[in-house]
Amino acid sequence: MPELPEAETIVRGLRASIVGERIRTAEVPRPDLLREAKGKFVGGVRGRTVRRVDRRAKNVLIGLDNGHTIAVNLGMTGRLLPFPTAPRGTERPTHPGVVFRFDSGGVLVFDDVRRFGTVECLSSEAWRGRETRFGPEPLSSGFSGSDLHAGLHGSRSPVRSWLLDQRRIAGVGNIYAAEALFLAGIHPKRPANSVSRPEAAALHRALRRVLRNAIRAGGTTIRNYRNSANRPGAYQPKLYVYGRQGQPCLRCGHEIERTVFANRSAFHCPSCQPARAS
DNA sequence: AGTGTATCCTGCAGGC
DNA sequence: TGCCTGCAGGATACAC
């Protein structure tokens, strides 16, 4: 569900509410969300104080005072909801998976309807090892159009599949891949290695623009996404192609098409994004 | 090696 | 009303 902008929005919200809090206990109503044994996880986080909240790819990272990191992958429907006091009545999360209780009386709930999310507490060495599996952050200053072109150049897979692969580039999901490819005028099925250097430069600009604007809007809510204040994102009206099949292209008026490959819906304008490079 | 496909899970919208 | 199908911001184990 959440991609880079949604995870970033959650991180910024959480920072304000849980940094400095000491974890008194953790409960795990849904142990299948943990990537480790429940006892080990609970023992590892109990008594620790939250020092920082960060993001890598689509993961929310909760840094503890012993150097360990709680890595949360939000999956499709995961939410991280902080409460100043134990939630009551209608504010109670419907599908709590992991519940952290702080000394202050505050509570942080990882809530996940579909349970595709994961939670894990990793030592600093273990996290460093895990972190290297992700590709570059598209918004980092060190990531250039030339880097993107070099990466694309080495792969024959469809460019959308390339963008969705977290090992190649971090944090891009189905919505923002569709939007960036539209802005760059590249058909989602084109082989990655058919993307020319100028096209890669355009895709680089488009990715950064789309991701930055989506962060500014607090993310995109199609169905389930909510930030850490339990509020939806505001980027949906700015989408050019995602979810707009059958509607006119906002640039040229052609009908937006929906196709399915790699088991996911892809959206593109057949006129603005021709199947073959021109 | 480097792909695409099927699967995990639940809820909701739309068709009949 | 109710049943059925299709669909969803992700990640991964597998078969080719």
Side-chain angles (χ1 to χ4, degrees), chain A residues 18-33:
Chain A
I18 68 166
V19 169
E21 296 276 9
R22 182 177 171 275
I23 300 170
R24 182 167 56 79
T25 61
E27 293 152 22
V28 190
R30 286 293 192 174
D32 57 333
L33 292 174

Side-chain angles (χ1 to χ4, degrees), chain A residues 5 47 160 188 204 236 238 246:
Chain A
R160 183 191 66 149
H204 178 256
Q236 341 30 295
K238 304 196 174 180

Side-chain angles (χ1 to χ4, degrees), chain A residues 107-217:
Chain A
V107 177
L108 175 67
V109 179
F110 178 59
D111 187 80
D112 187 2
V113 172
R114 290 176 71 183
R115 303 209 306 281
F116 288 173
T118 58
V119 179
E120 191 172 17
C121 184
L122 297 159
S123 69
S124 53
E125 309 83 65
W127 167 248
R128 276 200 299 277
R130 179 71 57 83
E131 197 269 344
T132 62
R133 294 191 205 172
F134 296 112
E137 287 288 329
L139 293 180
S140 79
S141 55
F143 178 67
S144 69
S146 292
D147 295 333
L148 180 59
H149 183 250
L152 293 166
H153 196 67
S155 169
R156 305 185 333 253
S157 85
V159 60
R160 183 191 66 149
S161 304
W162 192 96
L163 289 171
L164 294 183
D165 186 341
Q166 300 301 296
R167 292 167 302 188
R168 308 203 200 257
I169 186 167
V172 181
N174 211 20
I175 293 178
Y176 302 110
E179 295 300 303
L181 288 168
F182 170 80
L183 289 178
I186 300 171
H187 191 287
K189 272 196 172 164
R190 277 182 49 197
N193 63 10
S194 79
V195 175
S196 70
R197 184 169 283 278
E199 285 176 324
L203 182 56
H204 178 256
R205 282 194 300 275
L207 268 174
R208 287 162 72 114
R209 176 177 155 198
V210 162
L211 294 172
R212 281 208 190 93
N213 286 341
I215 290 172
R216 204 164 292 137

